[in-house]
Amino acid sequence: MASGSYRNGGGGGGGGAAPRLSAKLDRQNSGAHATPKASSKSRPPATPGAAAGGFRRSSSGPLTSTAAGRGDAGVPGRVRVAVRLRPRNGEESVADADFGDCVELQPELKRLKLRKNNWESETYEFDEVLTEFASQKRVYEVVAKPVVESVLEGYNGTVMAYGQTGTGKTFTLGRLGEEDTAARGIMVRAMEDILADISPETDSVSVSYLQLYMETIQDLLDPVNDNIAIIEDPKTGDVSLPGATIVEIRDQKSFVDLLTLGEAHRFAANTKLNTESSRSHAILMVQVRRAVKGRHDTELNFHGENGHTSPLVSSFRPPIVRKGKLVVVDLAGSERIDKSGSEGHTLEEAKSINLSLSALGKCINALAENSPHVPIRDSKLTRLLKDSFGGTARTSLVVTIGPSPRHRGETASTIMFGQRAMKVENMVKLKEEFDYKSLCRRLDIELDKLIAENERQQKEFEDEVARIRIEAQNHVAEAERKYIKALETEKLKYQQDYIDSIRKLEEKWMVTQQSSSNNKTKAEHHPQSAEKTCDNKAPSESDADEINEVKKLLENEKFLRQSTEEEVNDLKNQVLHWKKLEAAGSAEVAKLQKMLDNEASQKEKLEEEIAALKSQLLQLSFEADETRRSLDRGGSGKIFPGLDSLMSQARNSQLRDQGNGPKPPVAKLFEQVGLQKILSLLESEDADVRVHAVKVVANLAAEEANQEKIVEAGGLTSLLVLLRSSEDETIRRVAAGAIANLAMNETNQELIMSQGGISLLSMTAADAEDPQTLRMVAGAIANLCGNDKLQARLRGEGGVKALLGMVKCGHPDVLAQVARGIANFAKCESRAATQGSTIVLGGCK
């Protein structure tokens, strides 16, 4: 355990100087914001990155940097250094009352004079010179704000404070400003700007707070975690701390609470130089993840085997995210043991601090002198700051010094550290990548929506079928009831009419019989009237008429009965017809059920197609990443040697497995999609589709077995058209690389020349500014220079001139390709001269 006490938060590393510094910070020098012309006498020479516009100075003079290039190659950017002078504290005011300050600041000239004595002084120039009157806001704006803005744009950034113990490093970086908001340090102000710029819905900010104490990395947010390991990616070389606590930040108050908690766990001790001296290096890591708006809303349609776009299946572009990391490093102060009075465990702490700072100074010296070896592994501090010095981060350093002439040696050492750091060159790179996890989540959500919609439609369909079936059954049952009831009613009616008719006929017949019997009786009792009876034949005729009428009634009854029977038969036929309709309805229901089963089968096929499309999307991304890494590695001959090697390994593995192993990714894609479809995408209106298509063609062209197929299918002509018409730097670079691979074949070389390829390559070389594009073009021309038959045309059509013109780029990869092309050209010229001499000698003989 350290002999010193824990810091209870908020205090600065300036010790006794902090109260006086806080009092003077409110009185800002009127000339502190001026931006005078910088002198060039003793300022270090401008680096190539600065000369090329890598940095600019705003109207108020902060160390602002322009946005770096969007490619993977990065943009050079020098480490920016500012010097800050601490005011005299109470002890120095008394002890050094008869002596002047050992330094003299000239902020308007950005100069600092270090006095040797009363007559001699040394002058140093920095990117910014901050007097003892400079406010915390001014320090943040000129030192840290440009770095914070770069982190928000997707770059890595580092802000670091270096200096003797007690000169105000912790005050500059970690002051919380709870009592006086104007005294807030760089950490608090940086988080305020970050939270103000991000969108909580799409962006995220996470924080880790660590300390490097006695060469062990400890978590200030979780003191139990006191030995965190450093993990280094073997491929990229990036350093990470997977064991550190990561807290997501939503508001400024929670961040200040975390800083307070971390400061309470940080080691501090009381020394002669500082009553609250930091005994560890504090490291604040802020991870900013931002979604790039407006670049993930367009949909991509995948084509099926028949060449038509699937109307129901579509996949989204993966959203692009930018990951910036801000590292704020509050280094422990360097100290001399005889001055600090450290002893016991505090002495051991001082030794560890001085050793780690010494290792950092060695690394910066090696980087400033372009040494082939940088001792980055001598300390965990240098390993953690690997990306900050000589890496890909935009770094800003503030060196803090004191005015006391008693500490002139420490002040001179700090100034020289800053001067050497100004010579360190970083290659700033944009950290931008596809968010495949978000894409998968979006695809899963879309798939769930489609499944839910399909299930809803299926349920509605089943409910509709059931409703129609029930309605049909109800209609049939109702019709049967109505017709049975009507049949019974008619039957009863006709039966009643029949009975009434029979009864009427019987009554009439009985009346007739009775009348006849009466007449006979009268005839027997009155014979004399027989003559009269014979004469009265009219009544018997009337009886005949009644009989005829009865017959007619009977015939009518027969007709009615026949009609009733026919109507009953008609009703029976209608019942049979309804039964047939019911059977047809059942058949329709069965047909609908079959359609439902087909819909379920189609749903399964769609799910399989979605899974295949996701697999193809990931495969295309993998191919694009492989192409990018191949472009970064470079090499002579083929432009994609890394991919060619992978393809060769995949082929060898396939031969070993006797055809049972998996096929190479590009070959598998080539077989599934087809070369003609891939080439047709080169003419797509979508720029991103063209970029991916030309990358796939370039990967295929890296394999000799595919080159003849590509040329026969018109791939060479399409690549030359892209080279002529496209303004996209990525498309031109990859197209030139594909042409370079095709130019490895002698037959293809003649085709390239016959289609004006050398003129297009020359124009591309004249227009291009990206070193990687120039390297591709130079590689293609270099391959053409190896053909004896093309020497005259290369000279006449400007190929050799374009090759020599690319020397101005100065990039080592470009120069290597130019040298290879000149060597090939010279060999061909030498062979031609030798053959000419042989012919002449043969003629003499």
Side-chain angles (χ1 to χ4, degrees):
M1 198 64 171
S3 61
S5 63
Y6 283 113
R7 177 181 285 110
N8 55 8
R20 182 178 177 187
L21 177 60
S22 175
K24 289 190 177 183
L25 286 177
D26 295 332
R27 303 194 306 270
Q28 185 172 341
N29 188 4
S30 60
H33 290 281
T35 311
K37 296 181 179 179
S39 174
S40 60
K41 291 183 178 180
S42 58
R43 182 184 295 271
T47 62
F55 292 89
R56 60 181 172 85
R57 190 176 301 278
S58 69
S59 59
S60 60
L63 312 178
T64 309
S65 58
T66 58
R70 301 298 179 187
D72 292 332
V75 171
R78 175 172 61 79
V79 174
R80 314 293 285 178
V81 181
V83 61
R84 186 182 193 186
L85 177 64
R86 171 182 59 79
R88 288 193 179 192
N89 54 31
E91 180 185 356
E92 292 171 346
S93 298
V94 175
D96 301 332
D98 298 333
F99 302 95
D101 293 348
C102 66
V103 293
E104 177 186 351
L105 303 185
Q106 297 176 337
E108 66 280 359
L109 299 177
K110 293 181 174 50
R111 288 181 181 176
L112 178 149
K113 288 185 178 182
L114 178 64
R115 291 194 179 94
K116 293 183 178 180
N117 48 48
N118 292 334
W119 303 276
E120 296 181 3
S121 62
E122 296 176 347
T123 302
Y124 301 94
E125 293 190 6
F126 290 91
D127 294 299
E128 197 69 40
V129 175
L130 301 168
T131 68
E132 65 270 30
F133 305 107
S135 66
Q136 291 281 74
K137 180 180 179 182
R138 168 68 176 167
V139 174
Y140 170 73
E141 288 179 347
V142 302
V143 175
K145 188 170 184 178
V147 179
V148 173
E149 291 174 348
S150 297
V151 171
L152 290 171
E153 292 176 359
Y155 300 91
N156 288 346
T158 301
V159 179
M160 189 171 70
Y162 177 91
Q164 181 189 9
T165 182
T167 54
K169 298 182 298 299
T170 304
F171 180 87
T172 300
L173 295 182
R175 189 65 180 266
L176 300 182
E178 294 175 335
E179 299 177 357
D180 182 9
T181 57
R184 290 169 298 160
I186 286 177
M187 292 182 181
V188 178
R189 293 177 183 269
M191 184 56 67
E192 288 177 353
D193 283 356
I194 291 174
L195 293 177
D197 193 73
I198 66 170
S199 173
E201 292 79 11
T202 59
D203 306 335
S204 64
V205 180
S206 57
V207 167
S208 298
Y209 200 16
L210 314 166
Q211 69 174 351
L212 179 60
Y213 176 72
M214 300 286 287
E215 282 301 303
T216 60
I217 302 176
Q218 303 177 2
D219 197 333
L220 290 175
L221 303 180
D222 183 12
V224 179
N225 192 8
D226 58 358
N227 191 11
I228 302 174
I230 299 176
I231 304 300
E232 185 172 346
D233 192 330
K235 294 183 179 180
T236 63
D238 293 340
V239 174
S240 61
L241 301 170
T245 301
I246 300 176
V247 180
E248 188 167 351
I249 301 299
R250 290 295 182 183
D251 53 66
Q252 185 69 14
K253 183 179 182 303
S254 62
F255 176 69
V256 174
D257 293 341
L258 285 179
L259 289 184
T260 304
L261 175 64
E263 286 296 320
H265 294 146
R266 190 177 176 188
F267 288 106
N270 185 5
T271 66
K272 292 181 180 180
L273 297 177
N274 192 351
T275 58
E276 199 174 356
S277 175
S278 301
R279 314 310 292 169
S280 65
H281 306 298
I283 303 170
L284 176 69
M285 294 184 177
V286 182
Q287 301 280 353
V288 180
R289 179 187 176 94
R290 306 195 70 184
V292 181
K293 298 180 180 179
R295 298 179 61 182
H296 61 278
D297 297 331
T298 309
E299 295 183 357
L300 289 173
N301 292 327
F302 288 88
H303 297 276
E305 295 180 357
N306 57 357
H308 297 289
T309 303
S310 175
L312 299 177
V313 181
S314 64
S315 180
F316 299 94
R317 285 200 186 108
I320 299 175
V321 294
R322 290 177 178 172
K323 296 180 179 180
K325 180 173 71 173
L326 174 64
V327 180
V328 183
V329 184
D330 180 12
L331 295 175
S334 60
E335 61 183 55
R336 291 186 180 180
I337 307 302
D338 56 346
K339 292 185 178 182
S340 65
S342 300
E343 58 184 13
H345 190 76
T346 306
L347 177 60
E348 296 301 322
E349 292 174 341
K351 289 180 180 179
S352 176
I353 292 171
N354 290 339
L355 284 175
S356 60
L357 293 177
S358 175
L360 178 60
K362 291 179 181 179
C363 290
I364 289 179
N365 288 342
L367 291 169
E369 296 172 0
N370 291 324
S371 175
H373 172 67
V374 179
I376 203 74
R377 296 187 176 274
D378 287 0
S379 171
K380 288 186 178 180
L381 176 63
T382 55
R383 292 182 65 188
L384 288 173
L385 298 179
K386 177 182 178 181
D387 194 48
S388 302
F389 292 97
T392 61
R394 177 165 283 125
T395 301
S396 185
L397 170 67
V398 54
V399 294
T400 58
I401 60 175
S404 176
R406 291 180 296 162
H407 305 307
R408 184 190 177 282
E410 289 82 352
T411 300
S413 176
T414 301
I415 291 173
M416 293 309 299
F417 180 89
Q419 290 288 300
R420 288 190 294 270
M422 291 177 67
K423 299 179 182 179
V424 177
E425 187 97 5
N426 291 352
M427 294 297 292
V428 182
K429 289 186 178 180
L430 180 65
K431 305 297 182 180
E432 188 176 77
E433 62 185 31
F434 290 118
D435 189 1
Y436 293 109
K437 292 183 180 179
S438 176
L439 174 63
C440 290
R441 287 195 298 269
R442 291 173 60 196
L443 289 176
D444 289 339
I445 293 172
E446 188 68 20
L447 181 60
D448 292 340
K449 289 181 179 179
L450 291 175
I451 292 174
E453 179 66 19
N454 184 270
E455 290 177 351
R456 185 186 64 80
Q457 293 180 356
Q458 181 178 354
K459 182 67 168 59
E460 291 180 354
F461 182 76
E462 291 176 351
D463 293 343
E464 184 69 16
V465 170
R467 186 184 63 79
I468 293 174
R469 180 184 296 171
I470 293 173
E471 287 183 356
Q473 291 175 354
N474 293 336
H475 283 311
V476 170
E478 183 68 20
E480 288 180 349
R481 285 195 301 271
K482 287 182 178 180
Y483 283 111
I484 290 173
K485 184 177 180 180
L487 181 63
E488 291 294 331
T489 302
E490 290 293 328
K491 183 177 180 182
L492 292 174
K493 178 182 177 182
Y494 285 121
Q495 286 179 353
Q496 185 66 34
D497 291 343
Y498 180 74
I499 292 171
D500 293 341
S501 299
I502 295 298
R503 187 174 63 252
K504 289 179 180 180
L505 290 174
E506 287 178 351
E507 290 176 355
K508 288 184 178 181
W509 183 77
M510 290 178 67
V511 170
T512 303
Q513 289 292 332
Q514 186 177 4
S515 177
S516 298
S517 62
N518 290 333
N519 291 330
K520 290 180 178 180
T521 303
K522 289 179 178 181
E524 291 177 355
H525 288 87
H526 301 284
Q528 65 274 10
S529 61
E531 189 175 308
K532 185 180 179 179
T533 303
C534 294
D535 296 334
N536 293 333
K537 292 182 179 179
S540 61
E541 291 178 358
S542 62
D543 292 338
D545 292 337
E546 291 181 357
I547 292 172
N548 291 331
E549 183 178 357
V550 170
K551 287 182 180 180
K552 289 181 180 179
L553 289 174
L554 288 175
E555 290 178 356
N556 189 22
E557 288 295 330
K558 289 181 180 179
F559 176 75
L560 290 175
R561 185 171 183 176
Q562 184 178 0
S563 299
T564 303
E565 291 177 353
E566 290 178 354
E567 188 170 356
V568 169
N569 291 332
D570 186 31
L571 292 174
K572 289 182 179 179
N573 291 333
Q574 289 186 9
V575 170
L576 292 176
H577 175 68
W578 278 104
K579 288 184 178 180
K580 290 180 181 179
L581 289 178
E582 181 182 7
S586 300
E588 184 69 21
V589 169
K591 182 179 179 182
L592 293 176
Q593 185 64 37
K594 185 177 180 181
M595 291 174 61
L596 188 62
D597 294 340
N598 292 336
E599 287 291 332
S601 176
Q602 185 67 19
K603 170 188 168 184
E604 294 179 358
K605 291 181 180 179
L606 290 178
E607 291 176 353
E608 294 176 357
E609 187 174 355
I610 289 173
L613 293 177
K614 290 168 68 176
S615 175
Q616 288 186 5
L617 179 63
L618 294 177
Q619 185 61 47
L620 286 172
S621 174
F622 170 77
E623 295 298 331
D625 291 340
E626 289 295 327
T627 303
R628 178 175 57 78
R629 285 195 287 272
S630 299
L631 292 173
D632 289 338
R633 288 195 292 269
S636 60
K638 292 185 177 181
I639 302 303
F640 302 94
L643 181 61
D644 191 27
S645 175
L646 289 175
M647 297 293 288
S648 300
Q649 293 176 8
R651 289 197 301 273
N652 294 336
S653 174
Q654 186 177 7
L655 291 175
R656 287 196 302 269
D657 295 341
Q658 297 180 356
N660 296 328
K663 294 184 178 180
V666 177
K668 184 176 181 180
L669 179 64
F670 177 59
E671 293 178 1
Q672 291 179 350
V673 180
L675 180 60
Q676 204 64 41
K677 294 180 181 177
I678 296 174
L679 294 178
S680 65
L681 294 178
L682 295 176
E683 301 175 359
S684 173
E685 296 181 356
D686 193 327
D688 289 341
V689 174
R690 291 200 303 273
V691 169
H692 287 297
V694 75
K695 287 182 179 180
V696 173
V697 174
N699 291 338
L700 293 173
E703 189 173 359
E704 294 181 1
N706 298 328
Q707 292 181 358
E708 184 177 354
K709 297 178 182 178
I710 292 174
V711 174
E712 290 178 354
L716 176 59
T717 303
S718 299
L719 291 172
L720 291 174
V721 170
L722 280 179
L723 205 60
R724 178 188 298 109
S725 60
S726 178
E727 297 180 359
D728 190 290
E729 190 70 20
T730 301
I731 293 178
R732 295 169 66 187
R733 178 175 67 249
V734 181
I739 294 172
N741 285 338
L742 294 176
M744 295 294 293
N745 184 287
E746 184 175 349
T747 304
N748 295 341
Q749 291 174 356
E750 295 178 356
L751 289 175
I752 292 172
M753 293 297 293
S754 63
Q755 296 184 21
I758 189 64
S759 300
L760 293 175
L761 291 171
S762 300
M763 288 189 295
T764 304
D767 296 338
E769 296 179 357
D770 184 16
Q772 296 302 326
T773 304
L774 293 174
R775 181 170 70 86
M776 300 297 178
V777 175
I781 297 177
N783 291 340
L784 294 174
C785 287
N787 192 327
D788 297 338
K789 303 176 183 179
L790 306 178
Q791 300 298 301
R793 297 185 64 182
L794 285 171
R795 283 195 298 266
E797 296 182 14
V800 177
K801 182 178 179 181
L803 188 65
L804 295 176
M806 284 183 277
V807 176
K808 297 178 182 179
C809 173
H811 195 281
D813 292 342
V814 178
L815 296 178
Q817 295 296 333
V818 172
R820 186 171 67 85
I822 294 174
N824 290 343
F825 191 83
K827 288 179 182 178
C828 293
E829 288 289 335
S830 178
R831 286 196 296 269
T834 304
Q835 292 174 0
S837 301
T838 304
I839 294 172
V840 172
L841 291 175
C844 294
K845 291 180 180 180

